[in-house]
Amino acid sequence: MDRNIKFHNLLTKEEGIIVAPGAANALTARLVEEAEFPAVYVTGAGLSNNLLGMADVGLLSFKEVLDQVKYICDAVNIPVIADGDTGFGNAINLVRTVIEFEHAGVSAIQLEDQSTPKKCGHFDGKQIVSVEEMTNKIKAAVDIRKDPNFKIIARTDARATEGIDSAIERAQRYSEAGADILFVEAPQTEDEMKTITKSLPHAPQIANMVEHGLTPLKTNEELETLGYKIVLYANFLNRRAIKAMQDALLSLREDQTTQHMLDEIISMKERNRLTHLKKIKHLEDKYLSIN
């Protein structure tokens, strides 16, 4: 089944929340798929952390992000939700972003109303564009997409700068402009989360679970009860992997060997399976052999 149709069906299913762990590279996305999650989220913060070793403050270029989006889409069959930041500029820049992300195989692109350069939604010091500018961006995204099952996600960061009421009002305007999914970033209490979903009942809502972030951590079941349709665990895997690497490096430095950690790493056989060595060797045998 086409990934976009698959995602549309998940979105319109009456019950069940779509859990989308974040991935910053193709191998992590494949792990998400193998763990039988219904979708994977390409995390902008994760890309910045991994590619540059820098915080998510808008330092990555459009091309750098697009390359990783393509690799991830090629690596999995499940729907890919991709962070398109601000569209990397004004509405004209955003048009190209939407075209290229859809062409890459993305099923939903997230676009936000921060000014350029943007920042992580759980950082201080964010600034947002006018409602009119963002509304025009959403209209441009809707107009330029080819497949109606390719979803436009409108994210607002207005909670941090203008308060929850303004954030909800903005989300409603973005919905009226044609956004398929709404994402009010960084509510700070459960009551705010309830207010968001009750105030915007006609569009699916995204919750972003950021460990040690501004939003209360809830279980998936609790989030569904609150009225959310999608939950992102945008940087959980990246941060968990970093902690594991820190621990492993400390152990290697202290013990001067990896012998005691063999049970804590995947085998060569498992690594080769995950990275499709058998498939590559089959292609070698088929096309590189000389009779």
Side-chain angles (χ1 to χ4, degrees):
M1 183 188 296
D2 178 90
R3 274 192 293 204
N4 291 0
I5 296 175
K6 200 181 292 185
F7 186 66
H8 175 79
N9 290 343
L10 287 169
L11 204 59
T12 54
K13 189 177 179 183
E14 188 170 337
E15 295 183 354
I17 191 167
I18 301 169
V19 182
N25 55 56
L27 185 57
T28 303
R30 184 168 290 154
L31 293 174
V32 171
E33 181 175 44
E34 287 206 346
E36 299 185 350
F37 285 93
V40 62
Y41 176 68
V42 182
T43 157
L47 292 181
S48 187
N49 297 165
N50 281 273
L51 294 178
L52 302 181
M54 298 292 284
D56 180 22
V57 291
L59 298 177
L60 282 177
S61 70
F62 165 66
K63 181 62 164 56
E64 288 171 316
V65 173
L66 179 62
D67 284 346
Q68 299 304 314
V69 168
K70 287 179 177 177
Y71 299 150
I72 288 171
C73 287
D74 287 346
V76 298
N77 295 309
I78 57 175
V80 174
I81 305 168
D83 184 354
D85 284 345
T86 63
F88 300 93
N90 63 23
I92 310 306
N93 302 109
L94 179 142
V95 163
R96 183 177 178 224
T97 300
V98 171
I99 290 171
E100 295 290 352
F101 273 44
E102 182 175 11
H103 183 68
V106 168
S107 294
I109 183 171
Q110 172 194 308
L111 302 167
E112 63 198 54
D113 60 4
Q114 284 193 50
S115 58
T116 302
K118 56 75 51 94
K119 291 186 177 182
C120 169
H122 291 251
F123 286 179
D124 294 332
K126 297 184 295 294
Q127 296 181 347
I128 57 177
V129 300
S130 69
V131 175
E132 292 75 19
E133 180 176 341
M134 184 60 180
T135 299
N136 282 334
K137 281 186 165 186
I138 296 300
K139 289 177 180 177
V142 172
D143 287 345
I144 205 64
R145 67 176 169 187
K146 293 181 179 179
D147 182 356
N149 289 318
F150 171 64
K151 304 300 183 183
I152 308 300
I153 301 170
R155 169 177 141 177
T156 178
D157 286 78
R159 166 62 185 89
T161 60
E162 299 178 352
I164 191 66
D165 292 338
S166 176
I168 291 171
E169 183 179 344
R170 277 176 170 259
Q172 180 60 45
R173 292 280 298 275
Y174 303 160
S175 177
E176 292 168 359
D180 305 291
I181 301 165
L182 301 177
F183 180 2
V184 178
E185 173 65 304
Q188 297 184 12
T189 66
E190 182 175 328
D191 284 343
E192 287 188 358
M193 297 170 80
K194 289 179 181 177
T195 300
I196 290 166
T197 55
K198 287 181 179 178
S199 300
L200 303 165
H202 302 302
Q205 303 293 318
I206 289 180
N208 189 17
M209 293 290 96
V210 179
E211 298 79 13
H212 311 117
L214 297 172
T215 302
L217 285 180
K218 300 291 180 182
T219 67
N220 298 336
E221 184 178 357
E222 288 171 334
L223 290 168
E224 185 175 1
T225 299
L226 285 170
Y228 287 95
K229 188 60 182 178
I230 302 171
V231 53
L232 308 177
Y233 289 90
N235 286 285
F236 163 68
L237 290 176
N238 189 43
R239 291 168 63 186
R240 179 67 181 88
I242 291 170
K243 180 65 167 64
M245 287 189 284
Q246 287 176 325
D247 292 344
L249 289 166
L250 179 62
S251 183
L252 173 59
R253 189 182 71 195
E254 291 181 348
D255 297 306
Q256 297 296 302
T257 181
T258 59
Q259 292 175 355
H260 61 292
M261 292 187 280
L262 294 181
D263 291 338
E264 299 174 25
I265 64 174
I266 63 170
S267 66
M268 282 284 288
K269 182 178 179 181
E270 174 64 1
R271 187 187 70 170
N272 292 342
R273 184 193 69 80
L274 284 170
T275 54
H276 293 181
L277 181 61
K278 185 176 180 180
K279 182 186 295 185
I280 294 168
K281 292 183 77 68
H282 172 74
L283 293 173
E284 288 176 342
D285 292 341
K286 185 174 181 180
Y287 299 115
L288 298 184
S289 59
I290 300 175
N291 297 324

